[in-house]
Amino acid sequence: MKISIGSDHAGFELKEHVKKYLESKGIEVVDEGTYSPDSVDYPVFAGKVAKDLQNKIVDYGILICGTGLGMSITANKFKNIYAALCLYPTMAKYARMHNNANILVMAGRLMGPTLAEETVDTFLSTSFEGGRHQRRIDEIKEIEK
Ligand code: RB5
C-alpha cells in the first residue's frame, strides 16, 4: 500500500507522527509537505495529495490542517476525490464503508497522536460495502459532471 500525505503548519506535527507511524507498519509514504512548522496555505498541499490520487500513484491520501475543514473543502473540489474529515475511528469506518472515501482528513489541533493512529488504522482496514452506497456515489458522480 502507498499513501500520499500532506499538511499545513497546523497539521505539521501530527503529519510527521502519522508518517512515521505508517512507515513503521511497512506502508510506503509520499510526503507532499509541508516540511516545517512555518505558516503556509493549506490549499497547496490538498492539491498535491489530490493530484497524486488522480494520477494513481498512491492508493489513499491523508491530509491534516488545524480543524481538517480547509483541507476537506479544497480536496473535494478535485474530480474523483472523496475526502472525509474524520475526528475519530467510527467516522473513518463509515467514511470507507458508506462513502468510499479516498482521502482521510484529520484535525491537527483537535486530535492527539493515539487517536490519529486509531483513526488511520480504521480507515485503511475498512472496505467499501457497495450496494445501495454505490448508487449514492453514482449520484455524486452525476453532480460532478
Ligand atoms: C490555519 O491557521 C488554519 O486555518 C488551518 O490549519 C485549517 O484549520 C483551516 O481550515
Side-chain angles (χ1 to χ4, degrees):
M1 186 184 289
K2 193 168 169 183
I3 290 181
S4 175
I5 192 167
S7 76
D8 69 356
H9 53 287
F12 173 69
E13 197 179 326
L14 190 60
K15 189 261 287 177
E16 291 298 294
H17 179 85
V18 170
K19 178 185 165 184
K20 285 190 197 104
Y21 179 67
L22 292 168
E23 286 171 345
S24 78
K25 291 164 78 85
I27 294 171
E28 196 180 341
V29 178
V30 178
D31 184 353
E32 293 289 11
T34 188
Y35 303 114
S36 86
D38 297 342
S39 184
V40 288
D41 297 335
Y42 58 80
V44 172
F45 304 93
K48 286 173 187 279
V49 170
K51 282 177 190 157
D52 284 347
L53 264 169
Q54 285 183 325
N55 293 333
K56 299 188 193 313
I57 67 159
V58 294
D59 301 293
Y60 294 108
I62 296 179
L63 286 168
I64 308 174
C65 62
T67 58
L69 292 168
M71 287 297 197
S72 306
I73 291 166
T74 311
N76 281 312
K77 299 287 181 198
F78 288 78
K79 197 170 165 55
N80 295 322
I81 296 301
Y82 302 91
L85 172 57
C86 300
L87 300 177
Y88 30 81
T90 308
M91 293 178 80
K93 176 178 161 187
Y94 287 101
R96 290 288 310 124
M97 272 171 60
H98 287 190
N99 309 116
N100 202 16
N102 51 14
I103 295 185
L104 167 64
V105 186
M106 296 191 291
R109 289 182 173 149
L110 305 174
M111 298 170 77
T114 304
L115 182 59
E117 286 176 12
E118 289 171 3
T119 303
V120 166
D121 284 343
T122 303
F123 189 87
L124 297 182
S125 63
T126 306
S127 300
F128 180 50
E129 270 185 352
R132 68 187 189 282
H133 303 296
Q134 183 59 57
R135 185 181 70 239
R136 291 160 187 166
I137 284 160
D138 291 342
E139 289 173 27
I140 296 172
K141 285 187 185 297
E142 278 302 311
I143 295 166
E144 240 175 12
K145 289 178 191 166

